[in-house]
């Protein structure tokens, strides 16, 4: 242990059962004042996406109007008797002022907030490892939050939770540009996005929609879990093999080569992997540095054109993983591939006897009302990389206005190492549990209970070792897409997409 870490009393390891003990402490709902404001009139960013005990973090904060009584409060997210957060640290009487507008530079449309640092703070032993929201507030102005993961490097907790900050950043529209051309401002897409700016819009709400409901459930169950980001997984892919199961949330779209290779190696070593979402491992990305540090920028070119690094090493191209020259379809890892977006509706139970549905009481053909939204995955029996033993647990029939049929599917399979791999098949799976999905009709409480129990079953099994040793997977293919649509009992059972 280095001197800086020892100076703040950093522990050498975590005792078994630490997470359950942590959640017996008093919680608070005060963090929720920033939940619905997106990027508030006060906001900010940090010089790192994750930290460990002993690290110093710099905050860059701004306000629309000068404020002398601002504060920055760190809440550890968890269960805490239903409060879901605990206040760990706070600094008051911070002076804030308007900082410069975002700067957009180069052909890549790199967008950064060239702000002066506001304050620094040390991660001490009081910062229990976990997923944090740092809420910045000022009198008379709307609050906002900044995610920060506090790591316990080297911890061998049964579960590892991988926060998908690369995907947050790809959708971040702060300064007018994201990695998408169809942002709310209709801006041209950036081919390089930066963490040196606050989160806004899609990037801002990602933790609330796709990850915090899972964090709450893990901590409610009391399963010791190590938290890290996908940047950390890129930096040290071997850390995945320290755990019995690795968990990702509702939207983990952008993966680097080192992440993909590391996940495959972990699965081959018997590590279970759960994708509680959809559209995962879809597009390749590269990390590069900024003046604030390494891995502060994400390159997403989507093409080989004008990419000299990919020209020298095609394996580093930032195109879709299934496309040339990568030719690594996500189904080879996840068990199914990306379908598309824009279909909201209801899963139908196809394999009620699966261990994943144990204790739910579901029956064959039962409609789980309003469980699919955002983006969805679909198993493809004709895709050569689809594992041969995929068990399709549930599916949503989709009818396109063109007359074509499709479906969204939830799957499980077992790798030769006996590692289990689960894919929810919808980005809205986590927020269905919390009953707080954007752009989805309310999910009935009884259906939310089914999704939550299925999640608990996966988490508990994946924390126990290679899931295939106890829960084999036998092929359970769904009906054809046309047959699934045709067998729907009522119009409301079928999602409709325009194209």
């Amino acid at each position: 242990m280095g001197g800086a870490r020892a100076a703040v009393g950093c522990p050498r390891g975590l005792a078994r059962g630490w997470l359950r003990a942590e959640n017996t402490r008093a919680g608070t709902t005060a963090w929720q004042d920033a939940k619905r404001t997106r990027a508030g009139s006060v906001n900010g960013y940090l010089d790192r996406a994750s930290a460990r005990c002993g690290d110093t973090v710099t905050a860059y904060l701004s306000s629309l109007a000068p404020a002398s009584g601002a504060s920055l409060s760190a809440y550890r997210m968890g269960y805490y008797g239903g409060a879901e957060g605990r206040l760990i640290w706070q600094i008051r009487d911070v002076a804030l002022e308007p900082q410069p507008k975002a700067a957009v530079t180069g052909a890549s449309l790199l967008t950064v907030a060239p702000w002066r640092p506001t304050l620094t703070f040390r991660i001490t032993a009081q910062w229990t490892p976990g997923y944090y929201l740092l809420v910045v507030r000022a009198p008379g102005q709307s609050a906002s939050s900044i995610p920060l993961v506090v790591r316990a490097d080297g911890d061998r907790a049964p579960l590892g939770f991988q926060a998908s900050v690369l995907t947050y950043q790809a959708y971040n529209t702060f300064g007018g540009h994201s990695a998408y051309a169809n942002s709310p401002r209709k801006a041209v897409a950036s081919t390089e996005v930066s963490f040196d700016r606050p989160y806004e819009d899609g990037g801002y709400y990602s933790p609330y929609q796709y990850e915090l409901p899972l964090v709450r459930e893990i901590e409610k169950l009391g399963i010791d879990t190590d938290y890290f980001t996908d940047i950390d997984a890129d930096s040290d892919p071997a850390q995945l093999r320290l755990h019995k199961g690795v968990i990702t949330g509702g939207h983990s779209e952008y993966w680097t080569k080192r992440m993909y290779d590391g996940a495959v190696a972990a699965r081959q070593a018997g590590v279970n992997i759960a994708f509680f979402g959809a559209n995962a491992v879809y597009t390749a990305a590269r990390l590069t540095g900024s003046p604030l540090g390494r891995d502060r920028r994400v390159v997403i070119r989507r093409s080989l054109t004008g990419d000299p690094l990919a020209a020298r090493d095609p394996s580093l191209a930032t195109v879709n993983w299934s496309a040339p020259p990568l030719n690594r379809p996500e189904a080879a890892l996840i068990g199914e591939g990306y379908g598309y977006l824009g279909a909201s509706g209801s899963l139908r139970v196809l394999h009620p006897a699966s261990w994943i549905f144990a204790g739910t009481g579901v029956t064959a053909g039962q409609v789980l009302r309003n469980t699919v939204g955002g983006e969805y995955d679909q198993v493809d029996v004709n895709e050569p990389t689809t594992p041969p033993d995929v068990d399709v647990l549930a599916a949503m029939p989709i009818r396109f206005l063109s007359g074509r049929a499709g479906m969204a599917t939830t799957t499980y399979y077992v790798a030769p190492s006996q590692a289990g791999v689960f894919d929810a098949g919808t980005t809205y799976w986590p927020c269905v549990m919390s009953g707080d999905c954007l752009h989805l009709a309310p999910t009935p409480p009884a259906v939310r209970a089914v999704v939550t129990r299925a999640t608990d079953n996966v988490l508990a099994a994946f924390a126990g070792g290679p899931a295939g040793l106890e829960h084999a997977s036998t092929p359970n293919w769904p009906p054809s897409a046309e047959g699934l649509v045709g067998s729907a009992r009522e119009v409301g059972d079928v999602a409709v997409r325009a194209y």
Side-chain angles (χ1 to χ4, degrees):
M1 179 183 298
R5 299 189 71 203
V8 291
C10 296
R12 293 182 179 273
L14 297 170
R16 185 176 180 180
W18 68 270
L19 189 142
R20 186 179 297 275
E22 165 66 25
N23 277 272
T24 64
R25 299 183 179 186
T28 177
T29 59
W31 59 274
Q32 295 183 1
D33 65 340
K35 185 174 182 180
R36 291 294 186 186
T37 60
R38 307 269 175 122
S41 56
V42 290
N43 56 25
Y45 63 92
L46 308 176
D47 68 340
R48 60 189 68 209
S50 72
R52 64 176 183 171
C53 186
D55 286 345
T56 297
V57 180
T58 300
Y60 299 77
L61 309 177
S62 181
S63 59
L64 289 182
S68 58
S71 65
L72 184 66
S73 307
Y75 298 92
R76 185 185 182 278
M77 309 309 293
Y79 179 61
Y80 301 109
E84 300 183 34
R86 182 168 81 90
L87 179 63
I88 300 293
W89 170 89
Q90 186 177 66
I91 183 169
R92 296 178 178 274
D93 298 323
V94 178
L96 296 183
E97 59 184 3
Q99 297 255 31
K101 292 183 178 180
V104 182
T105 59
S108 67
L109 299 179
L110 178 68
T111 305
V112 302
W115 294 354
R116 298 175 298 278
T118 305
L119 58 91
T120 61
F121 56 92
R122 178 72 64 85
I123 304 298
T124 66
Q126 77 184 70
W127 293 66
T128 306
Y131 196 122
Y132 283 74
L133 292 181
L134 275 69
V135 178
V136 54
R137 302 180 176 97
Q141 301 191 52
S142 57
S144 66
S145 60
I146 310 167
L148 175 69
V149 170
V150 175
R151 312 185 312 271
D153 291 350
D155 184 46
R156 292 182 173 271
L159 294 180
F161 185 94
Q162 180 175 299
S164 301
V165 300
L166 301 185
T167 302
Y168 303 175
Q169 199 54 252
Y171 284 86
N172 184 8
T173 59
F174 186 90
H177 293 277
S178 71
Y180 292 85
N182 60 343
S183 70
R185 295 182 177 87
K186 304 300 180 184
V188 177
S190 297
T191 56
E192 186 174 355
V193 293
S194 175
F195 283 90
D196 299 347
R197 56 179 179 155
Y199 287 115
E200 191 174 60
D201 295 310
Y204 172 81
Y205 205 72
S206 290
Y208 295 105
Q209 180 110 334
Y210 301 129
E211 296 189 329
L212 291 179
L214 275 172
V215 170
R216 178 187 190 276
E217 201 60 26
I218 289 171
E219 304 228 343
K220 182 179 180 181
L221 295 175
I223 302 173
D224 287 347
T225 300
D226 182 25
Y227 292 89
F228 50 89
T229 71
D230 41 18
I231 294 175
D232 302 315
D234 174 89
S235 177
D236 180 17
Q239 70 178 290
L240 302 185
R241 299 199 295 274
L242 298 178
H243 310 292
K244 295 177 180 179
V246 173
I247 309 300
T248 65
H251 204 180
S252 188
E253 182 174 351
Y254 293 88
W255 281 46
T256 68
K257 181 180 184 298
R258 287 170 58 85
M259 288 173 60
Y260 199 150
D261 291 346
V264 170
R267 183 196 58 180
Q268 291 173 341
V271 177
N272 307 302
I273 304 177
F275 298 92
F276 284 106
N279 189 215
V281 201
Y282 186 64
T283 301
R286 294 197 305 264
L287 290 168
T288 187
S290 85
L292 296 190
R294 58 175 294 183
D295 298 338
R296 295 291 296 173
R297 295 175 182 172
V298 190
V299 177
I300 307 170
R301 301 190 66 89
R302 305 187 194 278
S303 170
L304 296 177
T305 302
D307 189 347
L309 184 55
R312 293 193 300 270
D313 184 354
S315 72
L316 297 178
T318 58
V319 298
N320 290 345
W321 278 107
S322 61
L326 301 180
N327 299 312
R328 299 179 67 181
E330 64 272 20
L333 175 61
I334 298 172
E336 57 181 333
Y338 179 50
Y340 205 62
L341 56 82
S344 297
S346 309
L347 289 167
R348 299 175 65 196
V349 177
L350 300 184
H351 188 185
S354 167
W355 65 273
I356 292 175
F357 285 129
T360 65
V362 296
T363 57
Q366 180 175 338
V367 176
L368 303 177
R369 186 71 60 197
N370 299 333
T371 44
V372 177
E375 302 186 81
Y376 64 89
D377 289 344
Q378 177 175 335
V379 71
D380 184 354
V381 299
N382 297 313
E383 166 54 51
T385 62
T386 299
D389 65 335
V390 166
D391 182 355
V392 181
L393 307 166
M396 178 185 75
I398 302 172
R399 178 183 292 121
F400 298 81
L401 295 184
S402 65
R404 184 168 61 91
M407 57 182 159
T409 47
T410 302
T411 60
Y412 169 72
Y413 80 91
V414 174
S417 67
Q418 297 304 305
V421 180
F422 171 80
D423 183 53
T426 166
T427 54
Y428 277 17
W429 185 281
C431 66
V432 163
M433 287 197 300
S434 66
D436 191 22
C437 293
L438 296 174
H439 316 304
L440 182 68
T443 305
V447 174
R448 289 173 52 199
V450 169
V451 173
T452 300
R453 179 58 186 269
T455 300
D456 292 351
N457 290 340
V458 172
L459 292 171
F462 280 22
L469 296 177
E470 297 288 336
H471 305 293
S473 177
T474 54
N476 182 56
W477 301 108
S480 67
E482 292 76 12
L484 192 65
V485 170
S487 65
R489 291 174 296 181
E490 54 184 279
V491 174
D493 292 350
V494 182
V496 178
R497 274 196 51 222
Y499 56 91

